[in-house]
Amino acid sequence: MSLSILSRSVHRRLIATWAVVAVASASAAQTPPPGSETAPVSNRVNQSLPSWLRLRGEFRERVERFDNVGYAAGRDTTFFLSRVRLQASVTPAKALAFVVQAQDARVANKAVGPTSAPFRDPMDLRMAYVDVGSAMARVAVRVGRQELVYGDQRLLGHVSWLNGARTFDAAKVMVRGKNVSCDVFMASVVTLNDLAFNTSDFGASRITGAYATAGKLVPRASVEPYLYYRYGRAQRSEAGPLGDLQQ
């Protein structure tokens, strides 16, 4: 709001439509039994599939409007952001699961500012990972292209508000205890490229960390200590020269 007052401009974001088509439910408890007349039409697709295969789809359409962009009077724009996600989950065993998700993100009518990523990212692989270990296992492993969310995304997250949301090529070990759980991971952020396949580069940019959660250490509170180490090769400093970043 302060930015709008200083610039004497009006910045309006309008959410036109948020449509989510759930072709699959997140758990068996959400999926009505086969033959149920109360199940949504979209869920009936999964009822005809074997129990180890689940499909899911999501469509989102958003309208954004900016007036006086860059403090320039009359520099206005209204544009449309469309996003489609298609996901398949294969669970051949209780302690083994494969998830693949494709995403198509596009922008239309944007006359001011960039129109490439993260606004635009035509059909690409957003997630592709394997889970070893069930949701209740004391130790589980997830390897592949995935979302990472820590500290309510203030530390690390997928930023799903963006049209082309973020993912990571990562390996993560999840250790779950009665009072304390901890994730240990190594990851490299996937760079969106609207002209080529999205890739990451462990050699040039990566983050290693551990994030613990203790829900009973302090009454009515959650203690979440963490340790991160970030490496970036050939990063430009404030003074201008290039150097390796370690923090």
Side-chain angles (χ1 to χ4, degrees), residues 2-24:
S2 59
L3 178 62
S4 298
I5 294 175
L6 291 174
S7 63
R8 298 181 181 179
S9 67
V10 180
H11 175 193
R12 298 190 295 270
R13 289 188 174 182
L14 304 176
I15 300 179
T17 308
W18 179 280
V20 176
V21 181
V23 182

Side-chain angles (χ1 to χ4, degrees), residues 119-130:
F119 300 98
R120 182 176 184 273
D121 185 31
M123 185 63 72
D124 211 315
L125 180 67
R126 182 171 183 270
M127 292 196 298
Y129 62 84
V130 56

Side-chain angles (χ1 to χ4, degrees), residues 85-205:
R85 289 178 179 172
L86 302 174
Q87 179 173 311
S89 303
V90 177
T91 310
K94 183 178 180 181
L96 182 64
F98 301 89
V99 175
V100 176
Q101 185 186 86
Q103 175 177 273
D104 184 86
R106 298 178 186 266
V107 59
N109 202 49
K110 193 171 188 293
V112 178
T115 57
S116 56
F119 300 98
R120 182 176 184 273
D121 185 31
M123 185 63 72
D124 211 315
L125 180 67
R126 182 171 183 270
M127 292 196 298
Y129 62 84
V130 56
D131 276 338
V132 180
S134 68
M136 303 302 295
R138 295 294 298 271
V139 179
V141 178
R142 176 173 292 180
V143 179
R145 185 162 297 186
Q146 58 188 276
E147 293 181 340
L148 294 178
V149 179
Y150 296 110
D152 290 333
Q153 297 198 63
R154 289 188 295 271
L155 296 173
L156 209 60
H158 50 71
V159 198
S160 196
W161 172 258
L162 296 176
N163 209 35
R166 178 189 300 157
T167 54
F168 301 82
D169 286 337
K172 177 172 66 174
V173 178
M174 298 162 280
V175 182
R176 306 180 182 97
K178 183 177 180 180
N179 298 320
V180 180
S181 62
C182 182
D183 289 2
V184 180
F185 63 89
M186 176 179 286
S188 181
V189 66
V190 176
T191 301
L192 301 183
N193 188 335
D194 59 327
L195 299 177
F197 185 75
N198 298 336
T199 60
S200 63
D201 189 347
F202 272 91
S205 177

